[in-house]
Amino acid sequence: MHEVAANGARIPAIGLGTWTLKDDQCSDLVSHALAVGYRHVDTAKMYDNEAAVGAGIKASSVPRDDIFLTTKVWWTDLAPADLERSTEGSLKRLGLDHVDLLLIHWPNARIPLEGTIKALNRMRERGLTRHIGVANFPTRLLGEAIALSDAPLVANQVEYHPYLDQTKVHAACRAAGMAMVSYCPLYRGGGLLEEEAIRSAASRLGKTPGQVVLRWHVQQEGVVAIPRTTRKERLVENAAIFDFQLSDAEMTEINALTKANSRICEHDFSPGEGWD
Ligand SMILES: NC(=O)c1ccc[n+]([C@@H]2O[C@H](COP(=O)([O-])OP(=O)(O)OC[C@H]3O[C@@H](n4cnc5c(N)ncnc54)[C@H](OP(=O)(O)O)[C@@H]3O)[C@@H](O)[C@H]2O)c1
């Protein structure tokens, strides 16, 4: 599996997203994904599936050290003592003594960032996570988080797909040596995969539209994608994107699909006006 180097972390360029996956279906997909070559799994306390993800890892024959596992602390749990409790709870549910990456799931303007970042660093110092990072941080907040952190942040996980321009966040991540991890990389399978630029590249290359979009992600420097699927055959499809390349013209054509108001994940607690 191809990896992205990010401030000392080596992050497999394709990971399995697990939002909505639950119980046995989740465990089964995680262990199947590992069996077919995935080495990166993304979960969160909020997904309510950490126990199932942990069971899937345990059921697989892939050694724990070969797997890059991410979990996240929900935005209401960012006061230092809450962050600590949340992390310990995640590890208990996962049945593991550490994760590889611990992320702040969303920023929270009502909780001072300094205490949160210090607490995140403490989780790393205590060995509960190998690396730390953030998610859904616009560039201004990302700059503050980087400045406050003793250990380097290794990733900013953000919504990214060809409809959503993330040029500024991507540049900020690269400038800081961080990976940008794309969530909703397939636009949740919506109309994006019907776009002519994607369909025509897929038929030229003998690939599926999903593979073209995922290749578009990982062909950009420092970008990692974490597609989710409930179908075993798609696990294989979504990881089989390292034996072909998109041409510069194909990349440009797909970049041109950017359009306004294409963000899927907007909540009442999102940065809103603060997005780049
Ligand atoms: N940090 C955050 O705030 C945040 C927010 C959202 C998501 N995430 C993470 O990012 C992961 C991915 O995002 P997501 O799950 O929202 O969306 P996504 O991965 O863009 O899309 C998942 C959808 O695409 C379909 N799909 C998967 N592979 C396909 C393919 N090759 N061709 C056509 N359709 C395909 C799946 O359907 P089938 O099941 O039928 O295959 C599923 O409905 C999440 O699972 C989660 O781990 C993080």
Side-chain angles (χ1 to χ4, degrees), residues 19 42 136 157 186 188 228-231 234 237-238:
W19 176 64
D42 181 82
N136 296 300
Q157 183 181 119
L186 295 167
R188 299 211 167 136
R228 163 179 56 103
T229 181
T230 52
R231 305 188 204 187
R234 280 189 173 160
E237 174 186 334
N238 290 348

Side-chain angles (χ1 to χ4, degrees), residues 20-273:
T20 75
L21 305 179
K22 294 274 197 290
D23 306 320
D24 287 352
Q25 186 200 29
C26 178
S27 305
D28 193 37
L29 279 161
V30 167
S31 57
H32 192 77
L34 293 169
V36 300
Y38 283 68
R39 293 293 179 267
H40 174 179
V41 180
D42 181 82
T43 182
K45 179 192 177 201
M46 184 56 187
Y47 301 167
D48 194 21
N49 65 9
E50 289 172 312
V53 167
I57 289 175
K58 226 154 269 156
S60 103
S61 53
V62 176
R64 169 67 187 94
D65 282 352
D66 292 356
I67 302 167
F68 190 94
L69 175 64
T70 300
T71 196
K72 316 184 190 86
V73 180
W74 193 233
W75 69 284
T76 50
D77 289 333
L78 300 187
D82 294 338
L83 186 147
E84 200 143 346
R85 249 193 309 276
S86 173
T87 308
E88 288 166 353
S90 288
L91 291 175
K92 197 162 179 203
R93 285 184 292 276
L94 286 161
L96 298 170
D97 62 2
H98 73 277
V99 290
D100 298 278
L101 179 57
L102 181 67
L103 300 178
I104 298 172
H105 205 145
W106 286 86
N108 184 339
R110 289 197 294 268
I111 298 178
L113 189 59
E114 181 168 7
T116 302
I117 296 292
K118 297 292 173 219
L120 201 59
N121 274 268
R122 253 194 319 280
M123 298 304 92
R124 182 178 172 278
E125 286 152 16
R126 284 180 54 195
L128 305 191
T129 184
R130 290 202 200 287
H131 303 284
I132 53 177
V134 295
N136 296 300
F137 269 46
T139 52
R140 185 186 57 77
L141 266 184
L142 181 64
E144 286 177 29
I146 290 169
L148 288 167
S149 190
D150 295 329
L153 303 178
V154 306
N156 187 12
Q157 183 181 119
V158 295
E159 180 172 339
Y160 188 38
H161 41 71
Y163 286 149
L164 183 63
D165 182 4
Q166 288 285 29
T167 312
K168 289 182 181 161
V169 175
H170 185 214
C173 288
R174 292 321 295 152
M178 297 168 64
M180 185 168 88
V181 178
S182 309
Y183 77 67
C184 301
L186 295 167
Y187 196 62
R188 299 211 167 136
L192 173 66
L193 302 179
E194 303 299 322
E195 291 284 354
E196 183 50 29
I198 288 162
R199 294 198 74 81
S200 62
S203 69
R204 260 195 311 278
L205 293 157
K207 300 289 169 186
T208 67
Q211 288 175 316
V212 167
V213 171
L214 293 170
R215 179 71 209 181
W216 171 85
H217 283 276
V218 303
Q219 208 167 299
Q220 299 170 62
E221 200 193 330
V223 175
V224 168
I226 49 169
R228 163 179 56 103
T229 181
T230 52
R231 305 188 204 187
K232 288 185 175 170
E233 66 279 9
R234 280 189 173 160
L235 285 174
V236 176
E237 174 186 334
N238 290 348
I241 57 163
F242 297 103
D243 61 348
F244 71 102
Q245 278 207 326
L246 297 171
S247 67
D248 290 347
E250 286 163 339
M251 290 294 286
T252 304
E253 231 186 308
I254 298 172
N255 289 337
L257 294 173
T258 300
K259 58 182 187 185
N261 303 319
S262 54
R263 205 178 273 281
I264 299 173
C265 290
E266 260 316 5
H267 306 284
D268 50 8
F269 53 80
S270 296
E273 298 300 305

